[in-house]
Amino acid sequence: MSNIDLGTAWAAILCFAVFAYVVMDGFDLGIGILFPGLSPGTERDQAINSIAPVWDGNETWLVLGGGGLFAVFPLAYSIILPATYPLIIAMLLGLIFRGVAFEFRWRDPRHRPLWDLVFTLGSTVAAVSQGITLGAILQGIDVANNAYAGGWLDWLSPFSLLTGIAVAVGYSLLGATWLIMKTEGSGQRHARRMALRLGFGTVIALALVSAATPFLNNVYWRRWFDMPQVLLTAQVPLLVTICTLVFFWSLKRGGEKLPFLMALALFLLGFIGLGISMYPYLVPRSITIWDAAAPHDSQLFLLVGSVFIIPLILAYTAWSYWVFRGKVGTEGYH
Amino acid sequence: MTLLDQLDPVLLARAQFAFTVSFHFIFPAFSIGLASYLMVLEALWLKTGRGVYANLYRYWLKIFAVVFGMGVVSGVVLSYQFGTNWSVFSTKAGPVIGPLMGYEVITAFFLEAGFLGVMLFGISKVGRRLHFFATCMVALGTFISAFWILSVNSWMQTPAGYAINDSGQFIPAGSWWDIIFNPSFPFRLVHTVTAAYLTTAFAVGGVGAWHLLKDSNNIGARKMFSMAMWMAAIVTPIQIVAGDAHGLNTLEHQPIKVLAMEGDYQPSPNGAHLALFGIPDDDEARVRYEVAIPHLGSLVLKHDPYAPLPGLVDFPRDQWPPVKIVFWSFRIMVALGLAMLGLGLWSLIARRRRRLFDSRWLHRAAVVMGPSGFVAVLAGWVTTEVGRQPFTVYGLLRTVESNSPIDGPAVAASLIAFVIVYFFAFGAGVYYLFHLMAVPPHRGETEPDNVPTRAAGIMPGQTLNAPSLRGGEPHE
């Protein structure tokens, strides 16, 4: 196997890990962001119960994303993380608060409003920092001599703030549609109303980010609009339109699973769009997946295990989701 | 701005790593042992059907949920800190240790997290045997995690199986076997995992003793205290032997570290003494106010009282670790190990005299020793990690050459943020843990009805009262 094959294979695996993280922890974080909109008591308890058995596993995909980048593209890891330093720290602190609030709100009913607030703040901070990080990578990172060469606030720009808000809105949509699927009664009605508004919000955010991206640099522009590949790239907005229509239709018709699936489809299309813009760069316009690659032996060693173990992970993760299938109550699973 | 200009990014990054890793390490040290303990309890319950095991399982499961949750969130921080604060180290050592950490994620983290949900909430959904399987997978996951992360850590201490390329990167050369099973790894793995088991044994024993002091007839407290004291009595001597072997290994591969641990500045051609107390003084290259036992140092390190040992002065000064810290953290660890041995032996005597559940002084001592494992684990960690200084990859890559191109103020700000958040978040966690432990274990271990009272959300009254959970509940 040549180096090029391995680099591409690993880029694909890491893309998968990041996407798995985005959709799975996305709905967890989205529920956190929406928490103030849920009424204390039944609605909130249902929402927490729906993610309690799975959030640990969901968050692990983030560790695979970061750990995988470290293992197989150490150069990209050591450039992106210093470049987005305050964002990464904010995200980690947000995830700490999210994780512990989640554990503690049951333990301490007297301070439950406080832990609920902490849960919301932690989830929101984590989601927004992830979104800004995405924008910061897309707009490019200052690299010299294979190291980060910018200041510690270079990531801040109108574009990155836009992606920050877009990701938070999108996560909220995932959270709301997840709740439609997992709850019933007033909680579900509430989630349905929120999903309607968030559906509009997500589509607008997606449109704004898509419209702004080609203006970041010439390469993106040509990637999307040059003939003949525009015939291919144009399929992405077309599919987005279809999924959006199906989303609103199913929401109106009282669908329980379809809205969530359509929200996932929108995320997948957004993700494919990012891939079209960025490939083959890990750090746009400076570091490609081949520049950043760890030595052949390192990539191969981890790949050999991964091709066997990742399917196994997917199998038992699916099993775990299946064990906790169906609607949740306020008092947990019966 | 002068103060800000003086902030040393390397020192701050080290402080940040030391702080976050120490905080984190407490939780896996507990959860490795606790997961195995839960596995044993559930196995005993499946085998005997005795309710006391089911009750203890549920009692410690609630504590495990909080410990595990805090371990996860504090661990995510570490996997990103290599990149944020130590990017040069990441680029250079990534090709060798990155894949090992990748294996930790795919073989351990997912296993733990994937089966944790079923372990915590799934007992009424999957049946007893499958639930036991989930418990075993979580316990196995914690062990596999220890395997990989200690392999990484050991490689940084005793690097092997690598070559260095043109850009100064460590790259794998030869066999991954050499990298994973580097010279200090087997010793470190045994010593650390045993330490985690002992930590749990003393924590469980301390909680059991606390409740025995209030009610010496509490069957759950008796059972957990008895099990913990067996562990203490049997495993502490094993740990001392393992620690001794680890010390010999360290003398072979990292002699400077061992000399710093011993405070041996000067060579001792006729056999080294062992300092019990003293204040190391680098400038004078001697230990002031020293209280020492002659020849014991050589006896411990060489198993020969008259074997010569070199001194720190035989090595370049710029390769010494901070001697004072290493010297003292090592002594704290050893002293606690000896105290653990003492308590274990005491429990054996009390058991023989049939006073295990009545000896109030033994119980008081066990309560005092409850946190000893955590302190010993941290002291041991400090000894080995500070002892590795001034290198990140021992002898090859210096700490001052490993950090990210980040300005001091940014590292300082994030350090302050971590300290505040950790004390708030994990302070609350420790408070809840103490609350959970303060409640005595009882029969029909349940939570109040109508309130979803499981740590991470769902272990409601109904689930706990589910018929499948009701093993035999004989009066014991």
Side-chain angles (χ1 to χ4, degrees), chain A residues 116-200:
Chain A
D116 285 359
L117 179 69
V118 166
F119 181 49
T120 298
L121 288 177
S123 304
T124 310
V125 167
V128 172
S129 356
Q130 286 171 6
I132 300 179
T133 303
L134 170 69
I137 296 172
L138 262 180
Q139 72 194 7
I141 289 172
D142 200 358
V143 177
N145 298 323
N146 280 342
Y148 177 55
W152 62 288
L153 281 176
D154 283 14
W155 48 270
L156 187 62
S157 73
F159 178 75
S160 68
L161 291 179
L162 173 66
T163 53
I165 295 166
V167 165
V169 173
Y171 280 0
S172 308
L173 177 69
L174 284 176
T177 50
W178 170 261
L179 287 179
I180 293 174
M181 194 164 67
K182 299 295 282 188
T183 63
E184 45 204 351
S186 79
Q188 194 192 40
R189 282 194 298 278
H190 208 151
R192 213 174 269 285
R193 277 201 302 279
M194 294 195 288
L196 184 67
R197 271 174 267 157
L198 290 165
F200 283 114

